[in-house]
């Protein structure tokens, strides 16, 4: 089970610039669907990558689904040479996304966010209308399943 609190606080306390997306963002908007991992879009600056590495290093990030013992270094070079990482940590699963389909990177997505309070921290979260747009564009069955609920939440928010 993923410890969302531990992951989010590790990132926030280290000063990592990130945007909560995916299932945790949907839950922050009121959705009741469960999610197994934390999805974030992170800013790809050198300083932020260093903070990201420092934040997760104590909880031993490793490539999710990779065979045990596969060489994997959690360092700047790895992050700079990659973009999106699906990881398992001592706190559970986290997807580090340099960009998302139809949403783009941190800079593009940052103008489509709201602040939410999660575990006592003010965090940047993808706005509900943008979450709906990127889920529709991703086109995965699990995204289509979530759309009806998210669209209803958007409708209720606009009428309330």
């Amino acid at each position: 089970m993923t410890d969302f609190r531990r992951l989010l606080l590790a990132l926030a306390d280290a000063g990592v610039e990130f945007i909560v997306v995916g299932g945790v963002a949907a839950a922050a908007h009121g959705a009741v669907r469960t999610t197994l991992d934390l999805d974030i879009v992170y800013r790809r600056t050198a300083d932020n990558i260093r903070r990201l590495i420092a934040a997760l290093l104590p909880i031993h990030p490793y490539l999710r689904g990779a065979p045990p013992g596969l060489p994997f270094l959690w360092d700047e070079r790895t992050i700079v040479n990659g973009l999106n990482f699906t990881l398992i940590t001592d706190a559970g699963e986290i997807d580090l996304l340099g960009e998302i389909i139809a949403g783009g990177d941190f800079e593009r997505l940052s103008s489509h966010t709201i602040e939410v309070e999660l575990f006592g921290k003010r965090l940047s979260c993808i706005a509900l209308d943008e979450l709906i747009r990127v889920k529709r564009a991703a086109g995965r069955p699990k995204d289509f399943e979530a759309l009806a609920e998210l669209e209803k939440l958007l409708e209720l928010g606009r009428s309330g």
Side-chain angles (χ1 to χ4, degrees), residues 124-137:
S124 184
C125 178
I126 188 171
L128 183 54
D129 58 342
E130 184 72 357
L131 179 60
I132 290 167
R133 194 181 72 72
V134 299
K135 282 197 169 289
R136 185 171 285 115

Side-chain angles (χ1 to χ4, degrees), residues 52-65:
L52 179 61
I53 291 163
L56 296 184
L57 192 59
I59 55 174
H60 310 106
Y62 191 74
L63 295 173
R64 191 164 66 233

Side-chain angles (χ1 to χ4, degrees), residues 13-159:
D13 289 346
V16 176
E17 294 175 273
F18 67 95
I19 300 166
V20 178
V21 298
V24 173
H29 288 293
V32 296
R33 290 171 117 356
T34 58
T35 185
L36 301 176
D37 64 358
L38 173 63
D39 301 308
I40 66 160
V41 174
Y42 65 99
R43 179 173 251 161
R44 288 186 53 83
T45 62
D47 286 342
N48 200 54
I49 288 171
R50 282 191 286 276
R51 290 189 293 268
L52 179 61
I53 291 163
L56 296 184
L57 192 59
I59 55 174
H60 310 106
Y62 191 74
L63 295 173
R64 191 164 66 233
L70 182 74
F72 176 69
L73 292 176
W74 182 244
D75 62 9
E76 281 183 65
R77 185 175 178 191
T78 297
I79 304 299
V80 168
N81 288 331
L83 182 65
N84 296 338
F85 299 87
T86 57
L87 302 171
I88 184 72
T89 72
D90 295 345
E93 299 179 359
I94 183 169
D95 292 353
L96 304 177
L97 308 168
E99 62 183 39
I100 57 175
I101 294 172
D105 62 10
F106 180 93
E107 281 69 28
R108 190 246 168 238
L109 198 57
S110 64
S111 63
H112 300 279
T113 62
I114 62 166
E115 272 198 2
V116 296
E117 186 169 324
L118 296 171
F119 307 110
K121 299 283 184 180
R122 300 291 296 169
L123 302 175
S124 184
C125 178
I126 188 171
L128 183 54
D129 58 342
E130 184 72 357
L131 179 60
I132 290 167
R133 194 181 72 72
V134 299
K135 282 197 169 289
R136 185 171 285 115
R140 301 175 302 183
K142 72 177 188 173
D143 293 319
F144 286 131
E145 291 170 9
L147 281 173
E149 180 183 21
L150 294 174
E151 288 168 343
K152 187 64 173 178
L153 287 168
L154 184 64
E155 177 186 318
L156 290 171
R158 288 189 176 152
S159 65

